[in-house]
Amino acid sequence: MMDTRALLVAAALLGVVVRASPTGGSNGSLPLVLWHGMGDSCCNPLSMGAIKKMVEEEIPGIYVLSLKIGKTVIEDTENGFFMDVNQQVSVVCEQLTQDPQFRGGYNAMGFSQGGQFLRAVAQRCPSPPMKNLISVGGQHQGVFGLPRCPGENSAICDFIRKKLTSGAYTDLVQKHLVQAQYWHDPLNEELYRTHSLFLADINQERAVNESYKKNLQALNKFVLVKFLQDTVVDPVDSEWFGFFKAGQAVETETLQESDLYREDRLGLAVMDKAGKLVFLTSDGDHLQFNRAWFTAKLLPYLR
């Protein structure tokens, strides 16, 4: 089983992204972009490095880019906590634009917070075109709780919990703490809509940006994976665009019951009716799955 809690011990030990050959995609497959989750890095041989290797073994000749935000793996890990998400998305968009491997389009797979970050790439950066987006445990309606913070340094996790509790929507915390940018407080919806720098924007909470809808609807498939025994994401329904009902933090509603769907601010209702939304489950804790499940459930969207 792939358990990120155990894997993160090695997250800062490697140095560079190992890419496929510059002439990757020799089998006709689209390139693949991977974005890791909180506390992880681009190149950990036991997590993202293992995923990259697995895909390359299953689809020989595929070009795989595991995103590294920063010059080193340590910077990449730290930026997953402290670098403005909007800036990270801009960096990735520029990187994909400049890489000739992606000119014909690409598939994308995000793990945990990397799932909503890659959705922002799809909505904001239509060129080069993203074809399929796979969100593995992504929190698309945000989180309201941090039950277990992955990472080697418990002091970082304690710091994050303290800041989120004391003032997630202050300008300082919003600009300098990644998790605050997708902190969604159902008890203070107006505060969230007004001050969330990232999630409220990509979820069209303040205004509808028609280009966001158009770009997201251009996807062939948007695959959402929910972990049925997840003890990290609160609420876990966020992995399928569900969330707590407004004004309380006990009962949840599905995507289809939400205003986001009924008003179709992102075009998800249209995508759902067109068969473009795919809802998958994995019977494990957060980001825990085996190769057989990955091969059977996710690889078909990469071939």
Side-chain angles (χ1 to χ4, degrees):
M1 302 290 288
M2 311 259 327
D3 186 347
T4 51
R5 291 168 295 166
L7 304 182
L8 293 173
V9 175
L13 299 181
L14 295 186
V16 297
V17 175
V18 180
R19 292 188 178 185
S21 163
T23 57
S26 59
N27 63 348
S29 60
L30 285 173
L32 174 64
V33 174
L34 304 174
W35 200 334
H36 62 79
M38 176 177 66
D40 204 352
S41 71
C42 62
C43 315
N44 185 342
L46 300 178
S47 56
M48 298 310 298
I51 294 293
K52 181 178 184 295
K53 181 179 179 181
M54 184 195 312
V55 172
E56 291 170 340
E57 289 175 350
E58 295 288 343
I59 310 177
I62 190 173
Y63 179 83
V64 182
L65 172 64
S66 184
L67 293 168
K68 180 173 67 176
I69 312 299
K71 296 180 180 179
T72 68
V73 169
I74 293 176
E75 282 187 15
D76 183 31
T77 303
E78 291 176 344
N79 285 337
F81 290 108
F82 303 118
M83 183 179 179
D84 181 356
V85 181
N86 296 300
Q87 185 180 351
Q88 293 190 53
V89 170
S90 294
V91 167
V92 170
C93 290
E94 182 67 19
Q95 186 174 359
L96 298 181
T97 299
Q98 293 181 353
D99 191 331
Q101 292 284 352
F102 299 107
R103 288 176 183 167
Y106 65 98
N107 293 319
M109 183 182 298
F111 295 82
S112 197
Q113 67 183 22
Q116 59 262 34
F117 297 173
L118 279 172
R119 173 163 67 88
V121 172
Q123 292 176 205
R124 294 175 177 175
C125 312
S127 180
M130 186 186 295
K131 300 298 185 179
N132 293 324
L133 172 57
I134 303 173
S135 170
V136 186
Q139 303 99 46
H140 293 279
Q141 282 281 23
V143 297
F144 187 55
L146 207 66
R148 287 194 295 106
C149 171
E152 299 175 42
N153 192 336
S154 61
I156 291 180
C157 294
D158 290 341
F159 172 81
I160 291 173
R161 290 190 186 94
K162 182 178 179 181
K163 292 301 180 183
L164 291 176
T165 301
S166 63
Y169 299 120
T170 63
D171 290 343
L172 183 64
V173 174
Q174 278 289 308
K175 290 177 180 177
H176 297 289
L177 185 58
V178 165
Q179 289 68 40
Q181 293 192 6
Y182 57 88
W183 184 260
H184 186 170
D185 186 345
L187 306 179
N188 293 282
E189 286 285 350
E190 185 60 32
L191 196 64
Y192 155 72
R193 284 192 293 268
T194 303
H195 295 286
S196 171
L197 294 182
F198 174 70
L199 189 68
D201 175 68
I202 66 167
N203 280 0
Q204 311 266 47
E205 299 280 5
R206 290 187 286 267
V208 174
N209 183 330
E210 291 297 334
S211 69
Y212 281 8
K213 292 179 64 174
K214 178 182 177 181
N215 295 339
L216 192 64
Q217 288 177 308
L219 290 172
N220 295 329
K221 295 290 183 181
F222 184 6
V223 182
L224 299 159
V225 178
K226 179 167 72 171
F227 291 88
L228 298 180
Q229 308 302 321
D230 204 313
T231 61
V232 173
V233 177
D234 186 18
V236 67
D237 302 272
S238 184
E239 297 174 357
W240 276 5
F241 272 96
F243 201 65
F244 293 116
K245 296 179 180 179
Q248 49 84 59
V250 178
E251 296 183 15
T252 60
E253 63 185 10
T254 66
L255 165 63
Q256 289 76 11
E257 294 169 332
S258 69
D259 289 341
L260 178 66
Y261 190 90
R262 287 195 294 265
E263 297 169 1
D264 209 16
R265 298 193 304 267
L266 275 177
L268 293 173
V270 171
M271 294 179 72
D272 194 17
K273 293 176 174 62
K276 289 190 171 187
L277 297 186
V278 180
F279 300 92
L280 300 179
T281 61
S282 177
D283 190 17
D285 202 345
H286 194 60
L287 301 188
Q288 292 187 3
F289 53 84
N290 57 35
R291 182 164 183 159
W293 179 90
F294 184 94
T295 301
K297 300 295 185 179
L298 302 186
L299 276 186
Y301 299 100
L302 304 180
R303 297 188 185 278

